[in-house]
Amino acid sequence: MSQYDYDIGIIGGGAAGLTTASGAAQLGAKVMLIEQEGRLGGDCLHYGCVPSKTLIKSAHVYHQMQHASSFGLPEVAVPPVDFRQVADRIRSVVDTIQKHDSEERFCTLGAKVMFGQPRFVDEHAVQVNGTSISASKWVIATGSSPAVPPIPGLADTPHLTNKEIFYLDTLPPTLIILGAGPIGIEMAQAFNRLGSRVTVINRSPRILGREDKDMADVIMRIMANEGVQFVLETSIEQVERVSSQVRVTVTDNTGKQRQMAADTLLVAMGRSPNTGGLGLESIDLPVERTGIPVDNRLRTRHKHIYAAGDVTGGYQFTHAAGYEGALSLPMPCFAFPGRSTTPGCPG
Ligand SMILES: Cc1cc2nc3c(=O)[nH]c(=O)nc-3n(C[C@H](O)[C@H](O)[C@H](O)COP(=O)(O)OP(=O)(O)OC[C@H]3O[C@@H](n4cnc5c(N)ncnc54)[C@H](O)[C@@H]3O)c2cc1C
């Protein structure tokens, strides 16, 4: 009989945590999966890959409708986009996939699912919803959140991140996007194609700084031809609300200041690891600005505590999180001989 309640405790029900949970449960481990939101799926399903790719598809179709004649088709006058309908479609696609990432599915696989915010009370136990849960091994898979840099005025000015942008009621007539990484650029193209007037502001002289420059330049040229305005090599001095609009003051590389205003501001300036509130300091588990440091087996300083996915600050992609979730399976599976799977389903 184990001295712990579970073989493996997993914190975070996104791509990484779900992969670990399903793998470990099917291999016979007694698994506890704890998620803070009332549903599983994480960023990819609710605020990332799925809504963004669904939005991009709608924008692509609308763009093609507007350019039907370039495909030898009759020209059509397309009415403006009702963003509520685009958002409804996004919700329905998310709902379809949610069934595969449901609590029921994971408990059928044998994992016990709990919703709440756990906090480590010692190296093997967390406190969640007033209950103490111990596990032989833990996997921290809490993902990342949009980084909101300390730009003067930004915190006090209404702005959106990837958490809100897919579920708007109306299409912003004008949109300023801070940041020209993959998220900023995807959103710029999609909203511009749907009918917003989009301006992208970036500190570096180019977009998609982690990608090959020749490829990024092609994308920028195409988007500029479609009407996206790029304001590059500029530092953002201030963000403020001016009546119903948001005003951004920037200084370009010649020292010249200029101001731009829009109805809506989207902040897409990188990601911060979700490490707060876990009580990691109390178990002396170090956290760096980019994430939780791990070795090549994804073990933290405490060898029985693993970290996987965005929270490590590595490759911040769903497939990477899934791969790491599998890699962080604190097996070998023969560590659980003959163990029947957890009767995780409620009731
Ligand atoms: C707009 C956007 C578009 C993207 N598009 C793509 C794409 O096309 N392709 C791709 O590969 N990647 C894409 N990504 C990246 C992808 O979403 C992430 O890399 C992936 O979700 C990381 O998985 P994860 O399991 O590490 O974290 P997450 O999926 O974020 O899961 C972490 C989970 O942990 C939970 N959690 C956090 N803190 C706690 C806590 N204290 N207690 C309990 N639970 C907690 C969260 O609620 C969440 O459910 C995109 C991201 C964004 C923002």
Side-chain angles (χ1 to χ4, degrees):
M1 167 108 178
S2 166
Q3 59 176 312
Y4 302 111
D5 303 327
Y6 291 88
D7 297 316
I8 303 173
I10 300 157
I11 306 178
L18 294 179
T19 307
T20 311
S22 65
Q26 289 178 87
L27 287 168
K30 193 175 178 195
V31 177
M32 165 59 83
L33 172 65
I34 310 171
E35 165 58 47
Q36 69 177 3
E37 290 196 7
R39 57 195 180 175
L40 301 176
D43 249 34
C44 181
L45 178 56
H46 299 288
Y47 317 110
C49 336
V50 175
S52 66
K53 266 75 251 176
T54 310
L55 175 77
I56 287 168
K57 180 68 181 179
S58 293
H60 177 68
V61 171
Y62 189 64
H63 181 75
Q64 290 205 317
M65 286 161 70
Q66 289 173 315
H67 294 86
S69 61
S70 24
F71 297 94
L73 298 170
E75 218 164 276
V76 279
V78 283
V81 166
D82 174 358
F83 197 80
R84 205 187 299 256
Q85 291 186 25
V86 177
D88 281 348
R89 178 165 179 273
I90 292 174
R91 280 191 200 93
S92 83
V93 171
V94 170
D95 288 348
T96 304
I97 299 173
Q98 179 74 76
K99 296 181 187 76
H100 302 279
D101 283 354
S102 66
E103 180 187 358
E104 294 69 33
R105 174 159 177 261
F106 278 82
C107 70
T108 306
L109 289 174
K112 170 98 178 154
V113 178
M114 204 172 168
F115 294 104
Q117 284 198 315
R119 188 177 180 82
F120 279 96
V121 288
D122 67 44
E123 287 176 22
H124 280 280
V126 300
Q127 188 83 21
V128 57
N129 302 341
T131 311
S132 176
I133 292 164
S134 63
S136 169
K137 319 266 186 198
W138 283 95
V139 178
I140 302 171
T142 47
S144 63
S145 294
V148 180
I151 295 168
L154 181 56
D156 303 321
T157 306
H159 60 267
L160 307 178
T161 66
N162 66 294
K163 292 242 160 180
E164 302 87 16
I165 190 79
F166 303 111
Y167 304 106
L168 300 176
D169 283 339
T170 54
L171 186 75
T174 50
L175 174 66
I176 291 178
I177 300 178
L178 305 184
I183 297 172
I185 292 302
E186 280 187 345
M187 292 305 103
Q189 189 190 51
F191 276 91
N192 181 65
R193 286 182 165 185
L194 290 170
S196 299
R197 256 190 305 126
V198 177
T199 304
V200 176
I201 302 177
N202 201 35
R203 191 175 40 197
S204 95
R206 49 165 295 197
I207 65 165
L208 298 172
R210 290 189 181 178
E211 314 303 331
D212 290 346
K213 184 171 179 328
D214 48 357
M215 186 274 288
D217 287 348
V218 171
I219 291 176
M220 189 167 115
R221 206 167 47 242
I222 292 169
M223 288 174 61
N225 282 340
E226 289 182 10
V228 177
Q229 202 200 342
F230 289 96
V231 181
L232 306 180
E233 268 191 291
T234 48
S235 61
I236 304 163
E237 305 297 345
Q238 193 177 19
V239 176
E240 61 200 315
R241 182 185 197 146
V242 179
S243 63
S244 64
Q245 289 212 311
V246 172
R247 186 162 67 194
V248 181
T249 305
V250 299
T251 304
D252 70 17
N253 60 350
T254 66
K256 215 169 100 196
Q257 262 200 4
R258 62 185 277 203
Q259 292 185 322
M260 283 153 279
D263 307 285
T264 303
L265 180 68
L266 172 68
V267 178
M269 302 183 81
R271 312 284 302 170
S272 299
N274 294 332
T275 54
L278 291 167
L280 300 183
E281 57 296 334
S282 70
I283 56 167
D284 199 21
L285 198 137
V287 174
E288 291 175 2
R289 192 183 54 81
T290 50
I292 299 177
V294 288
D295 66 14
N296 58 7
R297 288 177 53 196
L298 301 177
R299 297 177 302 182
T300 67
R301 169 188 287 175
H302 303 304
K303 299 299 176 214
H304 68 285
I305 304 181
Y306 296 66
D310 278 15
V311 74
T312 66
Y315 292 110
Q316 297 191 317
F317 298 107
T318 293
H319 42 279
Y323 173 74
E324 290 182 7
L327 202 64
S328 72
L329 264 180
M331 292 287 158
C333 53
F334 53 76
F336 314 105
R339 162 115 52 195
S340 63
T341 51
T342 318
C345 301

